[in-house]
Coordinates of all heavy atoms in Angstrom, one line a residue:
R17 N -8.6 5.0 3.7 CA -8.6 3.7 4.3 C -8.2 3.8 5.8 O -7.8 4.9 6.2 CB -7.7 2.7 3.6 CG -7.9 2.6 2.0 CD -9.4 2.5 1.6 NE -10.1 1.4 2.2 CZ -11.4 1.4 2.4 NH1 -12.2 2.4 2.1 NH2 -12.0 0.3 3.0
I18 N -8.3 2.7 6.6 CA -8.1 2.8 8.0 C -6.7 3.3 8.3 O -6.5 4.0 9.3 CB -8.4 1.5 8.7 CG1 -8.5 1.6 10.2 CG2 -7.4 0.4 8.3 CD1 -9.6 2.5 10.7
A19 N -5.7 2.9 7.5 CA -4.3 3.4 7.7 C -4.3 4.9 7.6 O -3.5 5.6 8.3 CB -3.4 2.8 6.7
D20 N -5.1 5.5 6.8 CA -5.1 7.0 6.6 C -5.6 7.6 7.9 O -5.1 8.6 8.3 CB -6.0 7.4 5.4 CG -5.5 6.9 4.1 OD1 -4.2 7.0 3.9 OD2 -6.2 6.4 3.3
Y21 N -6.6 7.1 8.4 CA -7.2 7.6 9.7 C -6.2 7.4 10.9 O -6.1 8.4 11.7 CB -8.5 6.9 10.1 CG -9.6 7.4 9.2 CD1 -10.1 6.6 8.1 CD2 -10.3 8.6 9.4 CE1 -11.1 7.1 7.3 CE2 -11.3 9.0 8.6 CZ -11.7 8.3 7.5 OH -12.7 8.7 6.7
R22 N -5.5 6.4 10.9 CA -4.5 6.2 11.9 C -3.4 7.3 11.8 O -2.9 7.9 12.7 CB -3.8 4.8 11.8 CG -4.7 3.7 12.2 CD -4.0 2.3 12.1 NE -4.9 1.2 12.2 CZ -5.0 0.3 11.3 NH1 -4.2 0.3 10.2 NH2 -5.8 -0.7 11.5
D23 N -3.0 7.4 10.6 CA -2.0 8.5 10.2 C -2.4 9.9 10.6 O -1.7 10.7 11.1 CB -1.6 8.4 8.8 CG -0.5 9.4 8.4 OD1 0.6 9.3 9.0 OD2 -0.7 10.2 7.5
I24 N -3.7 10.2 10.3 CA -4.3 11.5 10.6 C -4.3 11.7 12.1 O -3.9 12.8 12.6 CB -5.7 11.7 10.1 CG1 -5.7 11.8 8.6 CG2 -6.4 12.9 10.7 CD1 -7.1 11.6 7.9
H25 N -4.7 10.7 12.9 CA -4.6 10.9 14.3 C -3.1 11.1 14.8 O -2.9 12.0 15.6 CB -5.1 9.6 15.0 CG -6.6 9.5 15.1 ND1 -7.4 9.2 14.1 CD2 -7.4 9.8 16.1 CE1 -8.6 9.2 14.5 NE2 -8.7 9.6 15.7
S26 N -2.2 10.4 14.3 CA -0.8 10.5 14.7 C -0.3 11.9 14.3 O 0.4 12.6 15.2 CB 0.0 9.4 14.0 OG 1.3 9.6 14.3
R27 N -0.5 12.3 13.1 CA 0.0 13.6 12.7 C -0.6 14.8 13.4 O 0.0 15.9 13.5 CB -0.3 13.8 11.1 CG 0.7 13.0 10.3 CD 0.6 13.3 8.8 NE -0.7 12.9 8.3 CZ -1.6 13.7 7.7 NH1 -1.4 14.9 7.6 NH2 -2.7 13.1 7.2
T28 N -1.8 14.6 14.0 CA -2.5 15.7 14.7 C -2.3 15.7 16.2 O -3.0 16.4 16.9 CB -3.9 15.8 14.3 OG1 -4.6 14.6 14.6 CG2 -4.1 16.2 12.8
G29 N -1.4 14.8 16.6 CA -1.0 14.7 18.0 C -1.9 13.8 18.9 O -2.1 14.1 20.1
F30 N -2.6 12.9 18.3 CA -3.5 11.9 19.0 C -2.9 10.5 18.9 O -2.3 10.1 18.0 CB -4.9 12.0 18.5 CG -5.6 13.2 18.8 CD1 -5.5 14.4 18.1 CD2 -6.4 13.3 20.0 CE1 -6.1 15.5 18.4 CE2 -7.1 14.4 20.4 CZ -6.9 15.6 19.6
H31 N -3.2 9.8 20.0 CA -2.7 8.3 20.1 C -4.0 7.5 20.1 O -4.9 7.7 21.0 CB -1.9 8.1 21.3 CG -1.6 6.7 21.6 ND1 -0.8 6.0 20.8 CD2 -2.1 5.9 22.6 CE1 -0.7 4.7 21.3 NE2 -1.5 4.7 22.3
V32 N -4.2 6.6 19.2 CA -5.3 5.6 19.2 C -5.2 4.7 20.4 O -4.2 3.9 20.5 CB -5.4 4.9 17.9 CG1 -6.6 3.9 17.9 CG2 -5.6 5.8 16.7
V33 N -6.1 4.7 21.2 CA -6.0 3.8 22.5 C -6.9 2.6 22.3 O -6.8 1.6 23.0 CB -6.4 4.6 23.7 CG1 -5.3 5.6 24.0 CG2 -7.8 5.2 23.7
N34 N -7.9 2.7 21.3 CA -8.8 1.5 21.1 C -9.3 1.6 19.7 O -9.6 2.7 19.2 CB -10.0 1.5 22.1 CG -10.8 0.2 21.9 OD1 -10.2 -0.9 21.9 ND2 -12.1 0.3 21.8
E35 N -9.2 0.5 19.0 CA -9.7 0.3 17.6 C -10.4 -1.0 17.5 O -9.8 -2.0 17.7 CB -8.6 0.5 16.6 CG -9.0 0.4 15.2 CD -7.8 0.5 14.2 OE1 -6.9 1.2 14.4 OE2 -7.9 -0.3 13.2
E36 N -11.6 -0.9 17.0 CA -12.4 -2.2 16.8 C -12.9 -2.0 15.3 O -13.7 -1.1 15.0 CB -13.5 -2.3 17.7 CG -13.1 -2.5 19.1 CD -14.3 -2.6 20.1 OE1 -15.4 -2.9 19.7 OE2 -14.1 -2.4 21.3
S37 N -12.4 -2.9 14.5 CA -12.7 -2.8 13.1 C -13.4 -4.1 12.5 O -13.2 -5.2 13.1 CB -11.4 -2.6 12.2 OG -10.8 -1.4 12.6
R38 N -14.2 -3.9 11.6 CA -15.0 -5.0 10.9 C -14.6 -5.0 9.4 O -14.3 -4.0 8.9 CB -16.4 -4.8 11.0 CG -16.9 -4.8 12.4 CD -18.4 -4.7 12.4 NE -18.9 -4.7 13.8 CZ -20.1 -4.4 14.1 NH1 -21.0 -4.2 13.3 NH2 -20.5 -4.4 15.4
T39 N -14.7 -6.2 8.9 CA -14.4 -6.4 7.5 C -15.6 -7.2 6.9 O -16.4 -7.7 7.6 CB -13.1 -7.2 7.2 OG1 -13.3 -8.5 7.8 CG2 -11.9 -6.5 7.8
A40 N -15.8 -7.1 5.6 CA -16.8 -7.9 4.9 C -16.2 -9.3 4.5 O -15.0 -9.4 4.6 CB -17.3 -7.2 3.6
A41 N -16.9 -10.1 3.9 CA -16.4 -11.4 3.4 C -15.3 -11.2 2.4 O -15.4 -10.3 1.5 CB -17.6 -12.2 2.8
A42 N -14.3 -12.1 2.5 CA -13.1 -11.9 1.7 C -13.4 -12.0 0.2 O -12.7 -11.4 -0.6 CB -12.1 -13.0 2.1
E43 N -14.4 -12.8 -0.2 CA -14.7 -12.9 -1.6 C -15.2 -11.6 -2.2 O -15.0 -11.4 -3.4 CB -15.8 -14.0 -1.9 CG -17.1 -13.8 -1.4 CD -17.4 -14.4 0.0 OE1 -16.5 -14.9 0.7 OE2 -18.6 -14.5 0.4
F44 N -15.7 -10.7 -1.5 CA -16.0 -9.4 -2.0 C -14.8 -8.6 -2.5 O -14.8 -8.1 -3.6 CB -16.8 -8.5 -1.0 CG -18.2 -8.9 -0.7 CD1 -18.6 -9.1 0.6 CD2 -19.1 -9.2 -1.7 CE1 -19.9 -9.5 0.9 CE2 -20.4 -9.5 -1.4 CZ -20.8 -9.7 -0.1
I45 N -13.8 -8.5 -1.7 CA -12.6 -7.8 -2.2 C -11.8 -8.6 -3.1 O -11.2 -8.0 -4.0 CB -11.7 -7.4 -0.9 CG1 -10.8 -6.2 -1.3 CG2 -10.9 -8.6 -0.4 CD1 -10.3 -5.4 -0.2
D46 N -11.9 -9.9 -3.1 CA -11.2 -10.7 -4.1 C -11.8 -10.7 -5.4 O -11.2 -11.0 -6.4 CB -11.1 -12.2 -3.6 CG -10.3 -12.4 -2.4 OD1 -9.4 -11.6 -2.1 OD2 -10.5 -13.4 -1.7
S47 N -13.1 -10.2 -5.5 CA -13.8 -10.3 -6.8 C -13.6 -9.1 -7.6 O -14.1 -9.0 -8.7 CB -15.3 -10.5 -6.5 OG -15.9 -9.3 -5.9
I48 N -12.9 -8.1 -7.1 CA -12.8 -6.8 -7.9 C -11.3 -6.5 -8.1 O -10.4 -7.0 -7.4 CB -13.4 -5.6 -7.2 CG1 -12.7 -5.3 -5.8 CG2 -14.9 -5.7 -7.1 CD1 -13.2 -4.0 -5.3
Q49 N -11.0 -5.8 -9.2 CA -9.7 -5.4 -9.5 C -9.5 -4.0 -8.8 O -10.2 -3.0 -9.2 CB -9.5 -5.2 -11.0 CG -8.1 -4.7 -11.4 CD -7.0 -5.7 -11.2 OE1 -7.2 -6.9 -11.4 NE2 -5.9 -5.2 -10.8
I50 N -8.6 -4.0 -7.8 CA -8.4 -2.7 -7.0 C -7.6 -1.7 -7.9 O -6.7 -2.1 -8.6 CB -7.6 -3.0 -5.8 CG1 -8.3 -4.1 -4.9 CG2 -7.3 -1.7 -5.0 CD1 -9.6 -3.6 -4.3
A51 N -8.1 -0.5 -7.9 CA -7.4 0.6 -8.7 C -5.9 0.7 -8.2 O -5.7 0.6 -7.0 CB -8.1 1.9 -8.5
P52 N -5.0 1.0 -9.1 CA -3.6 1.0 -8.8 C -3.2 2.0 -7.6 O -2.4 1.7 -6.9 CB -3.0 1.5 -10.0 CG -3.8 1.0 -11.1 CD -5.2 1.1 -10.5
E53 N -4.0 3.1 -7.5 CA -3.7 4.0 -6.4 C -3.9 3.4 -5.0 O -3.4 4.0 -4.0 CB -4.5 5.3 -6.6 CG -6.0 5.1 -6.4 CD -6.8 6.2 -7.1 OE1 -6.8 6.2 -8.3 OE2 -7.4 7.0 -6.3
F54 N -4.6 2.3 -4.9 CA -4.8 1.6 -3.6 C -3.8 0.5 -3.3 O -3.8 -0.1 -2.3 CB -6.2 1.1 -3.5 CG -7.3 2.2 -3.5 CD1 -8.0 2.4 -4.6 CD2 -7.4 2.9 -2.4 CE1 -9.0 3.4 -4.6 CE2 -8.4 4.0 -2.3 CZ -9.2 4.2 -3.4
N55 N -2.9 0.3 -4.3 CA -1.9 -0.7 -4.1 C -0.9 -0.5 -3.0 O -0.3 -1.5 -2.5 CB -1.1 -0.9 -5.4 CG -1.8 -1.6 -6.6 OD1 -2.9 -2.2 -6.3 ND2 -1.4 -1.4 -7.8
R56 N -0.8 0.7 -2.5 CA 0.1 1.0 -1.4 C -0.4 0.5 -0.1 O 0.4 0.5 0.9 CB 0.4 2.5 -1.3 CG -0.8 3.3 -1.0 CD -0.4 4.8 -1.1 NE -1.5 5.7 -0.8 CZ -1.8 6.2 0.4 NH1 -1.0 6.0 1.4 NH2 -2.9 7.0 0.6
Y57 N -1.6 0.1 0.0 CA -2.2 -0.4 1.3 C -2.0 -1.9 1.5 O -2.1 -2.6 0.5 CB -3.7 0.0 1.3 CG -4.0 1.4 1.3 CD1 -4.4 2.1 0.1 CD2 -4.0 2.2 2.5 CE1 -4.6 3.5 0.1 CE2 -4.3 3.6 2.5 CZ -4.6 4.1 1.2 OH -4.9 5.5 1.3
E58 N -1.9 -2.2 2.7 CA -2.0 -3.6 3.1 C -3.4 -4.1 2.8 O -4.4 -3.4 3.0 CB -1.6 -3.8 4.5 CG -0.2 -3.4 4.9 CD 0.9 -4.3 4.3 OE1 0.6 -5.5 4.2 OE2 1.9 -3.8 4.0
R59 N -3.5 -5.4 2.5 CA -4.9 -6.0 2.2 C -5.7 -5.8 3.5 O -6.9 -5.5 3.4 CB -4.7 -7.5 1.9 CG -6.0 -8.1 1.6 CD -5.8 -9.6 1.4 NE -7.1 -10.3 1.5 CZ -7.9 -10.5 0.5 NH1 -7.6 -10.1 -0.7 NH2 -9.0 -11.2 0.6
A60 N -5.1 -6.0 4.7 CA -5.9 -5.9 5.9 C -6.5 -4.5 6.0 O -7.6 -4.3 6.5 CB -5.1 -6.2 7.1

């Protein structure tokens, strides 16, 4: 997930200077049961 990519950049000595992200319609993510291993992530 995007948080993982931010973490990879940070751990490898890089600083994110610009990030432009897109999302899909909220009903798509609301319509599925997320696997427990993804519970550690913020919804955003």
Side-chain angles (χ1 to χ4, degrees):
R17 307 315 304 151
I18 195 64
D20 299 315
Y21 286 99
R22 291 179 193 128
D23 184 55
I24 290 167
H25 277 80
S26 177
R27 286 187 292 117
T28 57
F30 287 85
H31 171 69
V32 175
V33 295
N34 187 49
E35 180 184 321
E36 295 177 22
S37 295
R38 295 182 185 173
T39 62
E43 65 263 14
F44 287 131
I45 201 161
D46 292 338
S47 69
I48 61 170
Q49 178 69 38
I50 302 293
E53 63 202 70
F54 295 104
N55 288 341
R56 65 185 179 97
Y57 295 96
E58 298 289 330
R59 179 187 167 91

